[in-house]
Amino acid sequence: MSTSSFLLCMALLGAGFMVQAKNVNLETTMKTMGFVYKQASETSDPAELGKYVAKLQDLVQDAKRAPLPSDKAEIYLQGLNKVLVVLDDTARALAAEDMALAQQQLKQVEKLRQQYHRERRFSIWRMIFGRY
């Protein structure tokens, strides 16, 4: 492959990632996360919980690619990263067949959700001049 072909491929690949990032709707992704979390918290089947945890991990990664409000981007990313750590711990607990620990870890996700949703409060300036 020539250098120019390689560069063209890399540029197209990068453009594809940019389009994908712009197509992620944070509000829709968060609502889906809430629905999947509810399903996960209601199951007692470890295999089913594992599927929900994997789906939540994917959704958190999607949320991290969404356009974020500039004044809250850092705090949102911090919260999403913490959720990913807890979900990873949940997956490890499931792999070790410790359903009780997995359910405890899942409750941590809810606590983080509550904590970081308090951060969503909009400033008066954003309400006047637009979302982002």
Side-chain angles (χ1 to χ4, degrees):
M1 180 184 282
S2 71
T3 304
S4 60
S5 297
F6 177 75
L7 291 175
L8 177 62
C9 288
M10 293 305 290
L12 290 174
L13 184 62
F17 285 124
M18 294 301 287
V19 169
Q20 182 182 5
K22 291 183 186 251
N23 289 337
V24 175
N25 181 313
L26 186 60
E27 186 174 340
T28 302
T29 302
M30 291 294 187
K31 285 181 181 179
T32 304
M33 285 173 64
F35 177 71
V36 173
Y37 174 83
K38 184 175 186 287
Q39 291 175 310
S41 66
E42 292 174 351
T43 189
S44 59
D45 179 27
E48 193 173 344
L49 181 56
K51 291 177 186 177
Y52 291 133
V53 169
K55 179 66 175 169
L56 284 168
Q57 289 170 319
D58 290 343
L59 288 166
V60 171
Q61 292 293 352
D62 287 348
K64 287 175 66 174
R65 288 191 302 271
L68 298 170
S70 59
D71 62 331
K72 299 283 185 178
E74 186 177 331
I75 195 88
Y76 282 2
L77 288 174
Q78 177 186 28
L80 291 169
N81 286 329
K82 286 181 180 181
V83 169
L84 275 177
V85 168
V86 173
L87 289 172
D88 289 344
D89 291 344
T90 307
R92 278 193 288 284
L94 286 170
E97 299 180 6
D98 190 343
M99 186 66 171
L101 179 59
Q103 289 174 329
Q104 284 178 345
Q105 292 293 336
L106 204 56
K107 289 178 184 177
Q108 288 298 112
V109 171
E110 175 62 14
K111 288 179 183 178
L112 287 168
R113 183 196 67 80
Q114 290 172 357
Q115 175 186 346
Y116 283 93
H117 274 209
R118 285 190 293 265
E119 299 291 336
R120 287 182 359 167
R121 294 187 185 112
F122 295 111
S123 71
I124 187 71
W125 299 112
R126 244 173 70 207
M127 289 174 62
I128 292 170
F129 294 112
R131 266 186 105 156
Y132 301 103

